[in-house]
Amino acid sequence: MGNPTATARARTKPTTGLLSGLGLVVTGAGLVLRRRRLFGLGLIPPLITTVLFLVLFASASFLSPGIAVWLTPFAEGWPGVAALRAVVSVLVVAVSGVLLVLLFTATTLALGAPLYDRISEEVDAYAGSYASSPDEGLLRALWSAFTHLLKTVAISLPAGAGILLVGLIPGVGGVLAAIASALFGGWTITLEMTGSPAGRRGIRSFAARHRLLARDPWLALGFGVPVFLLLSVPVVSLLVFPIATAAGTLLTRRLAAR
């Protein structure tokens, strides 16, 4: 077992960690953009999944007023019921956006696994050697991807409900919900984007990856929050996947060395 004191010392300070994580994204962009063929291949999976998730987001936006009414039956007859339901409707759209970004990421990475694995492997080879763990068999890898997607859904749905409730706090709810969305989304995106390089190091389970990020949570959030925000922008998100894959590999290398 590792020494908790040594681990604590290894963690960066909040500002330093956040800036270092953002720096990894910039470095990852430079590495991928110099490999145009890989960058182009990395755009194919999000092109396929973007259409589906844009339709889902548009549907959530269209249905949000009805969902707001369904969520607030107790407010019927209140003087400010229309304003309350307008706020709830906006929160439903915002939380739906957070959940769809996370599911969009997990689905795109699963669909484009061979392409993103190749990008990650090239970045690993460029950055230096590492101790590679034996590959999973095909069936086991497919099962792992399926169970991971289920775990992402199982965690994201209650978290989204919690963020929705936080948003209803008078005065400060909107700000707190936005911060909670960015932090939760950033952490979850980081878990996704470190999957390939962590798996090559034998760190395959959801819990094991969480422990890896916990070695330096500010560094992980410095990477994950900007990636999550960029993935929230429909057109920009197409360009982010290959860049985040490269940056996630650099992040994994740094954390695994702790």
Side-chain angles (χ1 to χ4, degrees), residues 87-88 91 95 160-178:
V87 171
V88 174
L91 287 171
V95 171
I163 292 170
L164 180 61
L165 292 175
V166 168
L168 295 176
I169 299 174
V172 297
V175 174
L176 292 177

Side-chain angles (χ1 to χ4, degrees), residues 9 12 23 25 27 43 48 53 56 95 130 133 155 169 180 198 214 243:
R9 285 198 300 266
T12 55
V25 178
T27 302
L43 300 180
I48 297 171
F53 281 90
L56 290 175
V95 171
Y130 65 96
S133 179
I155 292 172
I169 299 174
I243 292 172

